[in-house]
Amino acid sequence: LRLVGSEMCIRDRYFMSESFSRAARSAREMARMLLRWLVLALPVGLLCGGIGTAFHLAVEAVTELRGAHGWLLWLLPAAGLAIVALYKVTGCEGMGTNNVIRAVHSGESVSPLLVPAIFLGTVLTHLCGGSAGREGVAVQLGAAVSHNMGRRIPWFRDIPDAVPILTIAGMAAGFSGLFHAPLAAVCFALEVLAVGRLEYRALLPAVLAAVSANWVSAALGLETFQVALPDVDTAPFSVPILLLGVFSGIAGGIFTLLLKQGKSWAAKLFPNPLLRIAVCGAVLALLLFLCGKGRYTGLGTNLISLACNGETIYWFDFLGKLLFTVCTLAVGFQGGEVTPLFAIGACLGAVAAPLFGLPAVFGAALCYAAVFGSASNTWLAPICIGTEVFGFSCLPYFAVVCTVSRLCSGNRSMYGKQKPSPLFLQK
């Protein structure tokens, strides 16, 4: 018995030492992986934060210039021709957020020339009054930068799916650096790629890149957009809140459907992209001038300010901004969709909320987030953007209205390459 007992003790000691050795090796490997992500994700965030800041300042500068010189609106067709020529020269024709999503799914390359092309193309669009956004552009900028960095660093390639993960981190950094919402940026980058699935392997680099990009843009002087909401005496699951979610879902679904069909109709009507953007740009400039003399031009931040400050918003403002944004993007002008969606939602909520006895500002805030979630087919990101902009005390309301909006969107997305499939197919 003593002999058997001593042999069992020796065996137990052996297995315990082996377990400790495996645990130590695993801990060393995790520490090594963490260090490598720190070394790469932080520079991605810093670089994307700097590029996002420069992009934001450029868009703001040309927007002020257009406001001081209204005649620039009539140069919209010329700006369109310059954009088409720029994309032709750089070889980036047809590239956009969908190409970034496809690159993550299939391992295709993202041209580094997309950075100057989308930067200059969007600035030209805003200089001449096109109704477009900037956050989607920032996501493309961040993805293009991080994707090409990942492909060009040899010692990084042995990490499984390193390039797609780093591309996601760049998307989060671009969104965060421009909008000062790192939590929403991380959630958006993780969930916009595939419906119903989050890739947690990209969580750490996405957080590192988003936080560092946010820090850079704040250090360079970009202001954070935040609004304090009034107190409301209603439950999150009340009928008015649910109806605002339904309206937001319908509005986001209409935007997605019209954007998809608009691109198809424009291409069939004018197969030549130069002729298409010149003719449609001229008509668009005339309509933008006639409809409020530029009320629906640019980002739509003027409408967001009016809605969030309780000033006059007309019942047709959300529809006008929706249609002009669809037309601008469908005919070939460059820009994002996110800020116009914020404007559409804010105008819709400011008009609909008083019908149910809710403050207009409160309704504007809820629909601000919910319409974006409906059109992008995301859930966590709109909840986070709502709380980061309007305060975490309203989290239950944003959770309910974004959930209802997401359910009413019909599972459609403005990003056609978003799909319910495994994210990382690159081996």
Side-chain angles (χ1 to χ4, degrees):
L1 289 174
R2 278 197 215 96
L3 181 61
V4 172
S6 64
E7 288 180 353
M8 291 178 65
C9 288
I10 293 172
R11 187 180 61 188
D12 289 344
R13 279 197 218 101
Y14 172 77
F15 284 124
M16 288 177 65
S17 64
E18 281 295 307
S19 298
F20 282 125
S21 297
R22 285 196 297 269
R25 285 196 298 269
S26 177
R28 285 196 299 269
E29 187 63 29
M30 289 179 63
R32 182 168 169 265
M33 188 72 70
L34 175 61
L35 180 60
R36 295 170 79 177
W37 280 124
L38 282 169
V39 169
L40 197 56
L42 287 178
V44 165
L46 297 175
L47 183 57
C48 292
I51 295 174
T53 301
F55 175 65
H56 171 85
L57 295 175
V59 171
E60 290 294 320
V62 298
T63 300
E64 291 181 8
L65 183 62
R66 188 189 71 243
H69 304 282
W71 54 268
L72 286 171
L73 179 62
W74 303 109
L75 297 181
L76 192 59
L81 293 174
I83 291 170
V84 173
L86 175 64
Y87 270 69
K88 183 72 173 178
V89 170
T90 57
C92 296
E93 293 174 287
M95 289 190 180
T97 305
N98 276 320
N99 295 85
V100 172
I101 295 175
R102 186 170 59 193
V104 175
H105 280 294
S106 62
E108 297 179 12
S109 62
V110 178
S111 172
L113 294 177
L114 181 62
V115 175
I118 191 66
F119 191 110
L120 296 176
T122 305
V123 168
L124 284 173
T125 298
H126 286 286
L127 175 64
C128 298
S131 178
R134 59 188 175 187
E135 275 72 19
V137 176
V139 168
Q140 295 177 47
L141 289 172
V145 170
S146 60
H147 182 89
N148 286 279
M149 285 181 64
R151 283 184 174 274
R152 285 164 174 75
I153 300 178
W155 62 271
F156 187 71
R157 293 174 186 165
D158 63 325
I159 301 177
D161 302 315
V163 175
I165 289 175
L166 197 63
T167 305
I168 294 175
M171 295 170 66
F175 194 105
S176 175
L178 194 64
F179 208 72
H180 283 287
L183 184 59
V186 171
C187 292
F188 179 77
L190 292 180
E191 69 175 328
V192 75
L193 299 169
V195 180
R197 175 170 176 176
L198 297 176
E199 185 53 62
Y200 288 107
R201 287 181 296 169
L203 180 60
L204 176 61
V207 169
L208 293 173
V211 171
S212 56
N214 182 68
W215 179 83
V216 168
S217 61
L220 293 176
L222 260 66
E223 297 181 357
T224 303
F225 176 65
Q226 290 182 330
V227 178
L229 294 181
D231 295 331
V232 292
D233 186 20
T234 185
F237 286 97
S238 63
V239 173
I241 301 297
L242 298 177
L243 288 177
L244 287 179
V246 172
F247 294 160
S248 299
I250 294 173
I254 291 174
F255 179 88
T256 300
L257 179 63
L258 289 182
L259 184 61
K260 179 181 178 180
Q261 294 298 325
K263 291 180 179 180
S264 176
W265 292 337
K268 289 180 181 179
L269 188 61
F270 298 103
N272 188 319
L274 290 172
L275 181 62
R276 180 196 316 150
I277 207 163
V279 174
C280 296
V283 175
L284 192 60
L286 178 61
L287 293 176
L288 283 168
F289 177 78
L290 294 176
C291 297
K293 294 185 179 180
R295 185 177 178 87
Y296 306 114
T297 58
L299 296 167
T301 50
N302 57 323
L303 297 173
I304 294 174
S305 297
L306 292 174
C308 292
N309 291 328
E311 300 180 37
T312 302
I313 289 291
Y314 302 108
W315 67 267
F316 51 81
D317 277 336
F318 83 94
L319 189 59
K321 188 61 180 175
L322 187 153
L323 293 175
F324 278 116
T325 302
V326 167
C327 292
T328 299
L329 298 177
V331 301
F333 289 97
Q334 293 304 313
E337 305 90 354
V338 176
T339 305
L341 285 169
F342 290 157
I344 293 166
C347 293
L348 174 63
V351 172
L355 300 177
F356 308 120
L358 296 176
V361 176
F362 184 71
L366 294 183
C367 294
Y368 173 100
V371 172
F372 159 61
S374 171
S376 61
N377 205 22
T378 57
W379 181 65
L380 289 174
I383 295 174
C384 292
I385 198 70
T387 55
E388 287 183 290
V389 172
F390 298 100
F392 283 87
S393 61
C394 297
L395 175 60
Y397 297 98
F398 283 110
V400 171
V401 76
C402 290
T403 300
V404 175
S405 174
R406 171 71 176 75
L407 293 174
C408 294
S409 66
N411 207 32
R412 297 185 180 91
S413 174
M414 59 185 175
Y415 305 120
K417 297 301 178 181
Q418 187 187 61
K419 56 183 180 180
S421 63
L423 291 182
F424 300 111
L425 303 180
Q426 182 185 10
K427 299 298 182 184

